Amino acid sequence: MNLDVTEKSLPFYEAMASSVRLEMIRLLAKQPMNVRELAEAVGLSSAIMTMHVKKLEKGGIIRTDMQSGKGGLRKVCSLAVEQAEIIFPNKMEHIREYHQSFIPVGHYTDFDVEPTCGLATSEKIIGELDDPRYFLDAERFQAKILWFSEGFVEYKIPNFLLSTENPIELVISMEIASEAPLTDNNWPSDITFYLNQVKLGTWTSPGDYGDKRGKYNPPWWPDDVNQYGLLKHLTVTNHGTRMDGMPMSDVTLDQVNVRDKQWTFRIACEKGSPHVGGVTLFGKNFGNYNQDILLRLYYEKVVPAAEAIRE
């Protein structure tokens, strides 16, 4: 979450200005909880707790979902953000802004996968497991998680960059892991990324994690299969490509034709790699981060100095 010093960020600051709400955040960082559980944990009534919940919701810090329980529907709270950054105003003439796109994991436009493989929505498995034909099923647009042992999925992404905007950094983030039979935390996989048919580089995933349940997995999701991945940030600049800040390749924004009106982004586990350990992609409602594939293209635009100061 990006914050600034304008009034639009005020609900976040107001939500954080409470020792009770800070304790709620610490509790929800461990696991989702309903209002009654939160109230008991901090020693307040459910009515007072509901007021605190609304404050955190308004600040965009938590989200609530209605889930069925023994006594009927109940409001379950979970964290909606992993981190927040405050951007302070400055007197620089160049303002750093960005275009952003969220791509659901099931919205791929091309694929070629080998078993073990499959897809699932928040409610059910799509089709039959280990049958690549179901990657063509119409329900795949609703998929929130997918996995395959070898091959690729590819996405088409709109680019809203204007001719007057100068791109300086592209960040692609996703929750991703290997794909082992059932799970194996020690199951390395060489996962290669391409943008506009240009190879950005290869990252070796350490494993396919199943030691504990993913924070956002639906209740029906089995305990003995893929539970969560790692949140990875792939960054391309004019100086090269990095994964979580570590150098990955010398590929730059110019080399991937970043001004094209439409991009293709491919995630692959390629035959012949040292570690062919598959890919699991986690989208919203699965894993630990509750997000789809996120692309953010930062750019600069030159404005008069006086206007920059007013901002």
Side-chain angles (χ1 to χ4, degrees):
M1 174 183 289
N2 288 326
L3 305 165
D4 55 26
V5 293
T6 64
E7 290 188 1
K8 70 179 183 180
S9 297
L10 193 57
F12 177 91
Y13 302 132
E14 291 176 342
M16 295 293 288
S18 163
S19 59
V20 170
R21 292 193 285 274
L22 291 177
E23 177 62 18
M24 291 168 62
I25 292 171
R26 287 191 287 267
L27 290 168
L28 294 175
K30 299 177 181 177
Q31 62 181 11
M33 301 173 69
N34 62 39
V35 172
R36 179 182 58 79
E37 291 169 336
L38 282 169
E40 292 176 353
V42 299
L44 295 175
S45 69
S46 292
I48 297 297
M49 179 53 62
T50 298
M51 294 173 58
H52 285 295
V53 167
K54 289 181 178 178
K55 201 79 170 179
L56 287 170
E57 279 186 298
K58 185 177 179 182
I61 299 169
I62 70 171
R63 60 189 288 265
T64 59
D65 300 289
M66 299 305 295
Q67 297 183 5
S68 58
K70 293 181 179 179
L73 290 176
R74 58 179 184 172
K75 181 179 285 189
V76 176
C77 307
S78 57
L79 288 184
V81 295
E82 294 290 330
Q83 61 182 18
E85 180 182 3
I86 302 175
I87 309 299
F88 284 89
N90 56 63
K91 297 182 180 181
M92 294 177 61
E93 293 188 358
H94 291 82
I95 298 176
R96 194 169 187 251
E97 300 183 9
Y98 60 86
H99 296 292
Q100 179 170 281
S101 297
F102 286 97
I103 312 299
V105 299
H107 283 213
Y108 49 84
T109 53
D110 195 9
F111 74 96
D112 183 7
V113 301
E114 296 291 337
T116 54
C117 61
L119 315 91
T121 70
S122 299
E123 292 77 34
K124 64 177 183 177
I125 298 289
I126 297 175
E128 300 291 335
L129 294 176
D130 300 333
D131 188 340
R133 292 178 298 176
Y134 286 99
F135 274 65
L136 288 170
D137 192 290
E139 280 193 285
R140 58 114 166 159
F141 289 105
Q142 306 303 319
K144 303 298 183 181
I145 184 173
L146 64 81
W147 61 95
F148 55 91
S149 63
E150 183 184 314
F152 71 87
V153 287
E154 186 173 272
Y155 300 85
K156 288 191 183 298
I157 300 155
N159 179 15
F160 298 106
L161 191 72
L162 301 177
S163 60
T164 55
E165 298 166 346
N166 181 38
I168 56 175
E169 180 179 84
L170 172 64
V171 180
I172 306 173
S173 69
M174 72 212 88
E175 185 174 355
I176 190 168
S178 309
E179 161 51 21
L182 298 180
T183 67
D184 189 336
N185 284 24
N186 184 22
W187 189 268
S189 182
D190 296 331
I191 301 175
T192 302
F193 303 93
Y194 294 83
L195 186 63
N196 295 337
Q197 290 78 52
V198 177
K199 181 178 178 180
L200 297 177
T202 300
W203 165 71
T204 301
S205 167
D208 181 12
Y209 300 101
D211 54 305
K212 59 184 177 181
R213 282 193 66 83
K215 185 185 301 185
Y216 295 102
N217 292 347
W220 65 268
W221 187 246
D223 291 333
D224 60 351
V225 297
N226 332 60
Q227 293 298 317
Y228 65 94
L230 302 176
L231 187 64
K232 306 303 292 183
H233 295 83
L234 184 62
T235 302
V236 187
T237 69
N238 294 318
H239 304 289
T241 299
R242 294 175 174 264
M243 177 66 86
D244 293 340
M246 300 299 294
M248 191 178 202
S249 74
D250 294 328
V251 175
T252 66
L253 288 174
D254 286 341
Q255 291 173 317
V256 297
N257 301 315
V258 73
R259 287 192 174 276
D260 286 358
K261 299 299 183 183
Q262 178 179 275
W263 302 331
T264 59
F265 178 57
R266 176 176 291 197
I267 302 170
C269 182
E270 300 176 321
K271 187 175 183 178
S273 299
H275 304 99
V276 184
V279 175
T280 303
L281 274 175
F282 298 82
K284 294 202 68 165
N285 304 320
F286 275 92
N288 281 346
Y289 295 95
N290 204 37
Q291 73 161 61
D292 295 314
I293 301 170
L294 168 63
L295 294 96
R296 184 175 287 177
L297 179 62
Y298 290 91
Y299 63 88
E300 286 182 335
K301 62 179 182 180
V302 179
V303 297
E307 183 178 338
I309 293 172
R310 286 200 300 272
E311 291 290 335

